[in-house]
Amino acid sequence: MSHTNHNGLLMDREMPKKTRPYSRYAKDAAVLLGQLIRKARIDRKMTTEELADRAGLSRGLLRRIENGDLGCTLGAVFEAATIAGVPLFEADERTLTSALASNSAVMRLLPKAVHAPRVRPDDDF
């Protein structure tokens, strides 16, 4: 959507973001992960600026991650957690790599898509 400002320039008008409903579990998990990242950062005596710089994030984004904002990208959250030293999936890097390889083999065996079962008409009268 566009509009003209007071100088006659055509400007894009931002549409308000739609809020997505999240389950209580997802909200609590995001807050917990944010708290774990913040605690690990403080335990390592890292400032928000240091962690944000190392993770390639803005301090504002890191602050949102630490507050459990579910609108943050998964990559940003995982990178912040990794650099802060928060273990993901209860696994170290070697175990995670092994689990990923094993799961990838299983995923190749699964169907590409799942379709709802086709309902056959009951025309026995």
Side-chain angles (χ1 to χ4, degrees):
M1 179 184 284
S2 301
H3 75 282
T4 306
N5 72 4
H6 64 279
N7 293 327
L9 297 174
L10 190 62
M11 306 289 290
D12 283 334
R13 191 180 293 177
E14 288 189 35
M15 297 295 290
K17 276 189 171 180
K18 291 183 181 179
T19 57
R20 173 188 311 238
Y22 292 103
S23 67
R24 169 59 49 200
Y25 185 87
K27 291 175 190 176
D28 289 347
V31 170
L32 176 60
L33 183 54
Q35 290 172 345
L36 293 172
I37 292 169
R38 183 171 190 271
K39 182 181 181 311
R41 176 182 59 76
I42 292 169
D43 288 348
R44 290 176 173 230
K45 297 179 176 30
M46 294 176 75
T47 65
T48 54
E49 187 171 2
E50 290 172 319
L51 179 54
D53 285 346
R54 287 191 55 198
L57 310 172
S58 69
R59 284 189 350 222
L61 178 54
L62 178 58
R63 205 171 301 114
R64 288 177 42 221
I65 290 169
E66 289 184 350
N67 287 327
D69 182 341
L70 284 164
C72 301
T73 65
L74 187 60
V77 175
F78 277 19
E79 189 64 18
T82 300
I83 291 172
V86 175
L88 300 170
F89 304 105
E90 301 284 327
D92 60 21
E93 189 172 345
R94 188 173 49 94
T95 308
L96 185 62
T97 301
S98 174
L100 180 60
S102 174
N103 198 56
S104 292
V106 171
M107 296 302 288
R108 284 191 293 274
L109 299 174
L110 294 176
K112 299 287 183 218
V114 177
H115 302 284
R118 187 173 286 172
V119 178
R120 294 189 176 195
D122 181 16
D123 49 359
D124 273 347
F125 307 54

